[in-house]
Amino acid sequence: MPRIPPTARKGLLTLHLVTSLGWLGADLVLLTLGIAVQRGADPAAVYPITALIGTVLFAPLSVLAWLIGVASALLTPWGLLRYRWVLVKLVLTTVMVGLVLFLLTPNLRHAGAVGAALPARDRADLVIAPAVSTSLMIIATVLSTYKPWGRNPAARPILASHDRAATRM
């Protein structure tokens, strides 16, 4: 796997942090707006805003954070499979991006279109989803900070053959 110079690596890390923090911020805004409706705010006014935030910020930032995270893992010594914490974070983020794109964003658009006519069960989903997403993003942040579990033993044979091939070049 090609490695990038330290300045490029720091640039990639900065982009990952900015997009991830933007994703978390949009997530917290969606959670706040969902709670506001539960506490009596006008859904006809709030839900079009949530649809806009979900479409313009939340979904694109989630994809960008995932793409930049994968690129960062591939282009730095961490790798995608070398460390368990990276693999767990990749799985968590991939699942979250899938849920954002295929479940939450369509639900936000639907809520924006129907406003006050949105059933109570669907209104609860617009609080639960961002709450779960925020929790998972905090877990991913903890994984990135503490880097638990060490190397992935299943990746060692793959890495050893890759390292041998790299030294022959």
Side-chain angles (χ1 to χ4, degrees):
M1 224 24 81
R3 299 288 185 244
I4 57 176
T7 53
R9 190 180 76 229
K10 287 179 183 178
L12 203 54
L13 176 60
T14 301
L15 280 174
H16 186 58
L17 287 169
V18 168
T19 56
S20 297
L21 289 170
W23 183 10
L24 178 60
D27 208 1
L28 290 169
V29 168
L30 291 175
L31 177 60
T32 302
L33 292 172
I35 291 170
V37 169
Q38 294 292 329
R39 298 191 71 194
D42 181 10
V46 173
Y47 286 148
I49 295 167
T50 63
L52 181 66
I53 291 168
T55 304
V56 175
L57 284 177
F58 194 64
L61 284 170
S62 68
V63 172
L64 279 172
W66 184 86
L67 287 171
I68 294 167
V70 168
S72 182
L74 290 172
L75 296 172
T76 65
W78 295 114
L80 275 177
L81 304 174
R82 189 171 286 171
Y83 292 89
R84 290 182 186 134
W85 70 270
V86 176
L87 183 59
V88 170
K89 190 175 166 190
L90 174 67
V91 170
L92 276 177
T93 308
T94 301
V95 168
M96 286 192 326
V97 169
L99 291 173
V100 164
L101 295 178
F102 300 113
L103 191 62
L104 184 58
T105 302
N107 288 347
L108 290 171
R109 286 185 185 142
H110 176 67
V114 300
L118 191 70
R121 181 188 175 287
D122 293 342
R123 291 181 187 193
D125 288 345
L126 295 180
V127 173
I128 294 167
V132 169
S133 179
T134 297
S135 300
L136 292 175
M137 292 193 75
I138 291 169
I139 290 169
T141 302
V142 169
L143 290 174
S144 294
T145 304
Y146 289 96
K147 299 170 180 51
W149 309 313
R151 283 185 167 249
N152 183 359
R156 285 190 181 133
I158 296 168
L159 297 171
S161 64
H162 177 345
D163 291 343
R164 280 193 299 272
T167 57
R168 281 188 233 141
M169 295 180 157

